[in-house]
Amino acid sequence: MDLKRMGNQTVVFANPPVILASHSVVGPKEGQGPLRKTFSKVWKDQLHGEKSWEVAETKMLQEAMQGAIDQVEFPKEQIDFMLAGDLLNQIISSSFAARQMALPFIGLYGACSTMALSMAVGSMLIDGGFARNVLVGVSSHHDTAERQYRFPTEQGTQRAMSAQWTVTGAGSLLIGKNGTGPRITSATIGRVVDYAERDVNNMGAAMAPGVADTILNHLNDLQRKPEDYDLIVSGDLGAVGLGLAAELLKKSGLDMGTKFTDCGVMIFDASQDVHAGGSGCGCSSVVFAGDIMQRIKIGELKRVLLVGSGALHSPTSSLQGESIPGIGHAVVIEA
């Protein structure tokens, strides 16, 4: 499938919702990276006193969402919907966290694109008059994802250089109809793009076409250029996928320049031995809720395009020889 301008994939909000609060919780490896000072809370270990990694991930997501509420002392009874997603089968981290949050729950799955997808759907609910306030939360955990998608962590299997490191982290946003803060002004819903990539150790290659396709259509829909943004950030292609996405866009006549980067590239540095960079739902959620939100608030960034990237496969589909479909969902955040 070739990249082409489709049109009409972008929703421009008549009454742009406001990001009232953000909160991020990460694991120890993420807390040692270059963005360490931007996270709300860093866990000392992967279990955080829980009996399993899966229970720990649920606890992390719950902490992130409660943290966003507590940040602005927001009345919980005024939150109309909780939107959340993760990587685990049947999105159990989100469902079990919702059990504790006791809010009307909409579970979403977009793989690593879930943060952008949740922000888009939450904004549609508010702009459409179906909600006043929504709570968005997204998580991933390195050890739960490795166990489900690849090999048991204890096995110590050698990783390919194109592989990415699933981030242990949870990010949350409180989004409202009224208030003070950055606004979500538009959303572009992506389409599934499949270039027949089958290597589960190269998620960047599988997701890059979907991200490139969404960026191309977003800019075409709004008649904008890359230089109209202070930052265009994917989440998360890693170093391999970022380069491929830029190359695909260049072949389509679009030079992304120096403002195009990736959350998976930002969250770790070379000394942390993560190969191609970070990945997982939690990667873009904590980078956006932490670093990017802080830079918007201090005026460093005026307009940001966040493009969530998702590899829509499962362990079963991979074992049956299916290729890995990719997708990109985008939201624009403006100061």
Side-chain angles (χ1 to χ4, degrees):
M1 183 184 293
D2 294 329
L3 300 183
K4 57 184 178 181
R5 294 172 171 84
M6 297 291 290
N8 302 318
Q9 289 179 227
T10 302
V11 177
V12 178
F13 301 119
N15 300 292
V18 182
I19 301 176
L20 302 172
S22 64
H23 197 83
S24 57
V25 183
V26 300
K29 191 177 187 73
E30 294 69 22
Q32 294 166 1
L35 303 183
R36 64 182 71 85
K37 294 181 180 179
T38 68
F39 303 126
S40 308
K41 184 177 181 180
V42 178
W43 279 6
K44 293 181 180 179
D45 59 67
Q46 296 286 85
L47 280 172
H48 199 58
E50 303 298 333
K51 64 180 181 180
S52 72
W53 294 318
E54 287 75 15
V55 175
E57 183 177 342
T58 297
K59 181 68 175 296
M60 178 172 275
L61 179 56
Q62 188 181 333
E63 282 188 8
M65 291 189 295
Q66 189 62 51
I69 296 172
D70 293 343
Q71 185 183 109
V72 286
E73 299 180 349
F74 198 85
K76 195 173 179 180
E77 59 272 15
Q78 291 184 20
I79 299 174
D80 299 300
F81 299 106
M82 167 186 158
L83 281 66
D86 57 86
L87 290 176
L88 298 186
N89 291 337
Q90 290 78 48
I91 55 171
I92 56 170
S93 299
S94 303
S95 300
F96 291 175
R99 177 174 61 188
Q100 297 300 317
M101 297 301 293
L103 291 167
F105 171 58
I106 299 174
L108 297 170
Y109 184 82
C112 298
S113 71
T114 304
M115 185 61 170
L117 177 61
S118 299
M119 291 169 68
V121 174
S123 297
M124 290 176 187
L125 287 170
I126 293 172
D127 186 58
F130 301 102
R132 299 161 300 166
N133 306 290
V134 299
L135 181 65
V136 170
V138 177
S139 71
S140 62
H141 191 294
H142 178 263
D143 298 313
T144 66
E146 287 299 307
R147 176 149 61 191
Q148 177 174 290
Y149 285 101
R150 283 171 283 273
F151 302 97
T153 306
E154 303 92 334
Q155 192 169 323
T157 304
Q158 185 171 349
R159 300 165 59 246
M161 292 307 295
S162 60
Q164 294 168 248
W165 186 278
T166 304
V167 163
T168 298
S172 181
L173 304 174
L174 180 60
I175 305 172
K177 180 179 180 180
N178 301 305
T180 302
R183 293 186 176 271
I184 301 172
T185 56
S186 66
T188 302
I189 302 301
R191 58 182 183 144
V192 175
V193 181
D194 192 338
Y195 273 31
E197 176 63 54
R198 286 179 167 80
D199 185 359
V200 295
N201 292 304
N202 194 356
M203 292 290 98
M207 296 185 290
V211 168
D213 189 70
T214 296
I215 291 173
L216 190 70
N217 283 291
H218 170 83
L219 295 176
N220 181 61
D221 288 350
L222 298 183
Q223 292 298 293
R224 289 178 181 169
K225 299 172 289 186
E227 49 264 38
D228 291 326
Y229 295 89
D230 298 308
L231 178 69
I232 298 176
V233 58
S234 54
D236 27 73
L237 295 174
V240 173
L242 179 64
L244 289 172
E247 184 178 335
L248 284 168
L249 287 165
K250 194 168 186 177
K251 287 182 177 179
S252 298
L254 197 63
D255 187 347
M256 295 300 291
T258 59
K259 296 177 181 178
F260 183 34
T261 187
D262 180 75
C263 294
V265 172
M266 295 167 65
I267 195 167
F268 296 121
D269 62 37
S271 68
Q272 293 182 278
D273 190 29
V274 294
H275 296 357
S279 67
C281 297
C283 184
S284 61
S285 72
V286 299
V287 172
F288 180 78
D291 176 71
I292 296 174
M293 276 293 291
Q294 290 179 19
R295 291 163 68 189
I296 292 172
K297 288 180 177 179
I298 65 174
E300 181 182 332
L301 301 173
K302 300 292 186 183
R303 180 188 281 167
V304 174
L305 178 62
L306 172 66
V307 191
S309 55
L312 304 178
H313 73 301
S314 75
T316 301
S317 67
S318 294
L319 289 171
Q320 291 179 351
E322 283 280 357
S323 56
I324 305 171
I327 198 165
H329 299 297
V331 286
V332 176
I333 304 94
E334 299 189 43

